[in-house]
Amino acid sequence: MKNSTNQSIKPITTRRNDYGYLEIGGCDLTELANKYATPLYVIDEATLRAVCNDYKDAFKDYEKVNFMYASKALCTSAITKIVASEGFGFDVVSGGEIYTVYKAGVDMKKVLFNGNNKTVDELSLAIETGVGHISVDNFLELTMLNEIAKSYGKTVDIFLRVTPAIECHTHEYIKTGNLDSKFGFDLSQVDEAIELIKDEYTNLNLRGLHAHIGSQIFETQVYHDEIDILVTELVRIEKKHGVKLDEINIGGGLGVKYVETDVPPSTHKIAEVIINSVKLSCEKHNVNYPTIYLEPGRSIISTSGVTLYTIGSQKQVPNGRKYVAVDGGMADNPRPSMYQAEYTAEIVNKPANEDLQKVTICGRYCESGDVIIKNIELPNPEAGDVLCVYNTGAYNYSMASNYNRTQKPAMVLVNSGLSDIIVKRESLDDLLEHDVIPSRLK
Ligand SMILES: *Cc1c(COP(=O)(O)O)cnc(C)c1O
């Protein structure tokens, strides 16, 4: 079976050029660091498009499939344009994401709004901008959404988000489909929700069921189990309520390769499991194949992204670790401090394997937990060297903060030797922009 891009640690265009310097998208990373300063997020367009094509290729034998990129992994205007140009729709989780994709000119029918506590303003924005589906998470939202839709004189297509009670082996904080989760209706609450929609909420048009079982998933069996639960539930709903649903949204979650020991399945393997499971369940119950929605986030954007840092101070703990500090850290990449995420890195301007030393890469923020990589072998890291940390496309910029009153980094898009800024570096004045001094303090 074919390999796919999510199984690679590095962007597909990564290479050492004739000077031994690291290059991505035909751009020398040392030059990018000089030109745009560090920390710097770099996105390789070729890798991003390759992943989208992996997905399309993997599912080409199933006609009724919709790819909805989970924007929360990385949502910027330029990224939205690229992903939309590949024919993908968008899974959005806030007014900010709705606004970003709307302003980028996305066909809003291909947008799906998720979240466990959507506000009246966000639901109204979704209806005003014509968002295609809203995945309703709970009873309060059913009532609110029906009222809002009625006030606009509209009917909205919805999914019911359910919790299929599947345990997957990923970090506690990125599990979402187990019984004790804040997300979605428990399966025992589905009947009540359907009766409300049928009898009272006439501005809601139920299209199907939605589940999302977690993130950074390497197992395939969990998708099989999830699909069987969703299809069985569709059949049960039709029998009990006479409501025919023909859509299932199976969420995202496919993992990526951060370090050598990570072995995520390929998109082709996942597609095979998903398609076979859908067919098997449908044949078992003798029903038509549903339209499938997928919401991949991490596996779309993670591998395309790297972060460049400049190495600064070092500390050798007597008889202990050697710390090497970089000019970024937990504010631009909170994942290691949030869930012990691991990364792979290389020095850009030195041959990869000479004079190796075991060091710990730490950030510049005032927290001892601000460590990017524990115990990595690097070729004699020195102040001024540029470090490239791989696989930072997902959940880095989108989770970044201004901790320690630092400016968020810039992001550049590289392709065939060209580099373009797609997010500007914040300035010192940007940091003050929302501050207000009341007149009595002046
Ligand atoms: C986060 C999320 C996704 C994307 O998950 P990935 O692991 O990034 O693929 C998809 N659907 C829902 C509902 C989510 O909350």
Side-chain angles (χ1 to χ4, degrees):
M1 189 170 287
K2 279 189 225 167
N3 288 337
S4 61
T5 315
N6 67 309
Q7 296 177 300
S8 153
I9 292 180
K10 306 177 188 184
I12 57 175
T13 59
T14 309
R15 65 177 201 111
R16 290 266 167 192
N17 65 22
D18 298 342
Y19 307 100
Y21 285 12
L22 204 59
E23 190 180 282
I24 292 176
C27 296
D28 183 323
L29 299 182
T30 326
E31 282 172 17
L32 291 184
N34 285 336
K35 182 167 177 189
Y36 300 105
T38 56
L40 181 69
Y41 297 111
V42 180
I43 303 287
D44 181 37
E45 187 177 344
T47 302
L48 174 53
R49 292 193 186 273
V51 178
C52 294
N53 283 311
D54 283 343
Y55 267 100
K56 287 187 278 190
D57 186 48
F59 282 91
K60 66 179 184 301
D61 293 333
Y62 194 89
E63 269 166 52
K64 298 181 285 185
V65 59
N66 294 301
F67 303 107
M68 315 298 272
Y69 167 59
S71 287
K72 72 173 192 265
L74 176 61
C75 183
T76 80
S77 304
I79 297 297
T80 301
K81 286 268 187 202
I82 296 173
V83 174
S85 77
E86 291 295 336
F88 279 47
F90 294 82
D91 151 21
V92 295
V93 291
S94 67
E97 290 187 356
I98 293 173
Y99 193 62
T100 305
V101 301
Y102 175 71
K103 284 289 202 176
V106 165
D107 173 3
M108 297 304 282
K109 286 197 285 299
K110 292 168 80 170
V111 176
L112 162 71
F113 186 22
N114 279 313
N116 73 312
N117 193 22
K118 306 175 187 81
T119 66
V120 172
D121 285 353
E122 288 174 322
L123 291 169
S124 305
L125 183 64
I127 292 175
E128 278 169 26
T129 55
V131 162
H133 282 76
I134 297 179
S135 182
V136 178
D137 186 276
N138 54 67
F139 287 109
L140 175 68
E141 190 185 335
L142 274 181
T143 317
M144 272 167 59
L145 183 60
N146 186 64
E147 285 302 310
I148 298 168
K150 195 183 287 171
S151 74
Y152 282 92
K154 288 193 179 170
T155 304
V156 289
D157 284 344
I158 64 167
F159 286 114
L160 283 186
R161 168 90 181 251
V162 298
T163 320
I166 289 167
E167 286 288 339
C168 53
H169 299 111
T170 186
H171 193 281
E172 191 65 38
Y173 293 174
I174 49 182
K175 274 185 196 174
T176 52
N178 46 329
L179 260 186
D180 181 11
S181 161
K182 73 168 182 174
F183 295 103
F185 291 90
D186 190 88
L187 287 177
S188 63
Q189 298 165 332
V190 167
D191 283 334
E192 187 184 344
I194 294 201
E195 268 157 25
L196 284 168
I197 297 166
K198 247 177 76 176
D199 301 339
E200 292 179 39
Y201 298 149
T202 47
N203 292 75
L204 305 183
N205 179 23
L206 180 62
R207 301 302 310 269
L209 297 180
H210 171 209
H212 167 72
I213 49 183
S215 199
Q216 186 58 357
I217 294 172
F218 289 175
E219 307 157 272
T220 56
Q221 179 69 29
V222 287
Y223 287 100
H224 174 82
D225 296 347
E226 178 197 1
I227 288 165
D228 196 45
I229 290 170
L230 291 180
V231 172
T232 305
E233 194 60 16
L234 291 191
V235 174
R236 193 190 67 78
I237 289 169
E238 183 170 2
K239 273 205 190 111
K240 173 147 186 184
H241 302 277
V243 176
K244 192 163 172 51
L245 306 176
D246 54 9
E247 296 186 347
I248 57 171
N249 177 351
I250 57 188
L254 176 60
V256 299
K257 188 177 179 81
Y258 288 105
V259 291
E260 282 301 335
T261 47
D262 288 339
V263 193
S266 69
T267 48
H268 296 85
K269 181 71 202 168
I270 280 291
E272 182 189 85
V273 170
I274 289 174
I275 293 169
N276 286 345
S277 306
V278 168
K279 290 185 172 171
L280 206 71
S281 284
C282 289
E283 279 152 22
K284 186 169 79 183
H285 296 290
N286 197 20
V287 292
N288 292 336
Y289 300 154
T291 297
I292 301 175
Y293 286 75
L294 297 168
E295 304 172 324
R298 186 191 311 275
S299 58
I300 297 289
I301 195 68
S302 182
T303 316
S304 313
V306 303
T307 306
L308 303 183
Y309 300 103
T310 302
I311 291 177
S313 64
Q314 307 200 0
K315 174 182 176 180
Q316 176 67 60
V317 178
N319 307 316
R321 265 180 217 291
K322 182 169 181 179
Y323 285 97
V324 171
V326 295
D327 55 355
M330 63 187 288
D332 58 79
N333 182 0
R335 296 188 64 255
S337 43
M338 260 174 85
Y339 24 74
Q340 299 90 44
E342 295 183 297
Y343 284 93
T344 305
E346 273 184 84
I347 291 182
V348 164
N349 51 297
K350 284 180 175 165
N353 295 315
E354 283 170 24
D355 202 4
L356 289 178
Q357 294 180 13
K358 194 185 206 184
V359 300
T360 286
I361 306 290
C362 64
R364 47 134 326 142
Y365 295 93
C366 302
E367 286 284 332
S368 295
D370 178 25
V371 165
I372 301 175
I373 305 179
K374 272 189 191 151
N375 301 330
I376 176 174
E377 300 222 308
L378 289 176
N380 184 30
E382 294 167 293
D385 286 344
V386 175
L387 188 77
C388 171
V389 177
Y390 291 110
N391 243 305
T392 59
Y395 305 112
N396 273 235
Y397 176 71
S398 67
M399 286 184 162
S401 75
N402 293 105
Y403 184 49
N404 287 183
R405 203 74 160 166
T406 52
Q407 302 104 288
K408 284 186 200 149
M411 187 179 298
V412 297
L413 181 71
V414 294
N415 195 353
S416 311
L418 298 175
S419 63
D420 294 291
I421 286 275
I422 57 171
V423 178
K424 288 188 265 184
R425 184 177 303 281
E426 289 180 349
S427 67
L428 289 172
D429 281 323
D430 287 336
L431 295 175
L432 301 189
E433 191 167 57
H434 298 279
D435 283 8
V436 177
I437 302 176
S439 58
R440 64 188 173 79
L441 298 182
K442 283 185 181 153

